Amino acid sequence: MTVDGPIKVLIVDDDAMVRAGLSMILGGAADIEIVAEAGDGAEVPPLVSEHRPDVVLMDIRMPGIDGLTATETLRRTSEPPEVVVLTTFHADAQVMRALRAGAAGFLLKDIAPGDLVQAIRKVAAGEPILSPAVTRQLITHVSDPEPEEGGERARKLLGRLSEREREVATAIGQGKSNAEIGRELFMSVPTVKAHVSRILTKLSLNNRVQVALLVYDAGS
């Protein structure tokens, strides 16, 4: 994603106080603009169409249409905004569902203000905000097994990759950073990034988190 001008953010949360707090924190950054707020997932599609935000900060639990359904709906549209889900859990099956839908990551609601601002900037720059450690935790601890046909589908998708690309994908699934992958596979970081880009293109995925989940589903 390339953002020209301020990063446009849509805040979605059913708690007006939470929305006010998030708006105050993010609105204090010179490079971030709050373009709209919503209290329910049903309000998201029209607001996205009207304001074209770069990032949607999405609460999970809301009355009416929840944040997970709203995320899945958004990510199926053409040129969707990046979605960051808000949660109170480090390892929650609902978070896994959001990541499978193509969310760029998740934030805990007690995140420090400065970290929240940096997270929005990273997502707007195309960098998922799941650290390798958090990725490992999700894959290890979330009890959300895929059915066998899902595992077979994942293995077929990975079969589209070259041997080197599969090695990189497996390392991503292990939660390794680009630098760690480079050291392990004797490649430069730019070369690793090029492989990651080709993997995303070949598999029609949004980010490296989805690569990790695919590897997890395939049992690699």
Side-chain angles (χ1 to χ4, degrees), residues 12-26:
V12 186
D13 196 292
D14 65 328
D15 188 325
M17 291 295 291
V18 171
R19 293 199 305 272
L22 293 171
S23 183
M24 181 176 65
I25 292 168
L26 295 175

Side-chain angles (χ1 to χ4, degrees), residues 10 62-63 72 122 127 153 161 180-181 185 191 201 205:
L10 167 62
M62 292 182 291
E72 290 167 345
K122 287 181 179 180
E127 179 181 345
R153 173 183 171 278
L161 304 178
E180 291 171 328
I181 295 171
L185 299 180
T191 299
T201 299
L205 298 177

Side-chain angles (χ1 to χ4, degrees), residues 168 178 188-200 208:
V168 173
N178 287 343
S188 67
V189 170
T191 299
V192 174
K193 289 181 178 179
H195 279 301
V196 173
S197 180
R198 283 195 293 272
I199 290 168
L200 294 175
R208 65 190 293 131

Side-chain angles (χ1 to χ4, degrees), residues 28-213:
D31 58 341
I32 296 177
E33 176 188 359
I34 307 302
V35 294
E37 297 180 11
D40 187 278
E43 303 171 37
V44 173
L47 288 174
V48 167
S49 296
E50 179 181 357
H51 298 283
R52 307 304 301 172
D54 302 302
V55 179
V56 177
L57 195 53
M58 183 89 74
D59 187 21
I60 288 180
R61 295 173 176 85
M62 292 182 291
I65 295 179
D66 62 55
L68 296 173
T69 302
T71 296
E72 290 167 345
T73 299
L74 276 184
R75 295 304 301 177
R76 286 195 295 267
T77 62
S78 61
E79 300 184 2
E82 296 292 353
V83 178
V84 178
V85 296
L86 291 166
T87 182
T88 55
F89 299 99
H90 276 286
D92 186 333
Q94 292 178 315
V95 173
M96 184 68 86
R97 178 180 158 194
L99 297 180
R100 290 188 192 283
F106 72 90
L107 299 174
L108 298 178
K109 284 194 173 181
D110 62 356
I111 186 171
D115 291 339
L116 173 61
V117 171
Q118 287 301 320
I120 295 299
R121 288 171 177 158
K122 287 181 179 180
V123 169
E127 179 181 345
I129 54 169
L130 280 177
S131 69
V134 173
T135 302
R136 283 193 293 268
Q137 183 180 14
L138 279 170
I139 292 173
T140 301
H141 296 295
V142 173
S143 178
D144 184 27
E146 284 287 285
E148 178 54 35
E149 58 267 24
E152 181 62 27
R153 173 183 171 278
R155 287 187 285 274
K156 286 182 179 179
L157 284 173
L158 291 177
R160 298 177 183 175
L161 304 178
S162 68
E163 181 177 354
R164 198 58 160 167
E165 289 165 350
R166 285 196 299 273
E167 290 176 339
V168 173
T170 298
I172 292 173
Q174 295 168 346
K176 294 178 180 176
S177 66
N178 287 343
E180 291 171 328
I181 295 171
R183 287 194 296 271
E184 180 178 292
L185 299 180
F186 305 102
M187 293 187 290
S188 67
V189 170
T191 299
V192 174
K193 289 181 178 179
H195 279 301
V196 173
S197 180
R198 283 195 293 272
I199 290 168
L200 294 175
T201 299
K202 282 187 176 182
L203 302 184
S204 299
L205 298 177
N206 294 292
N207 53 52
R208 65 190 293 131
V209 175
Q210 286 188 314
V211 175
L213 294 175

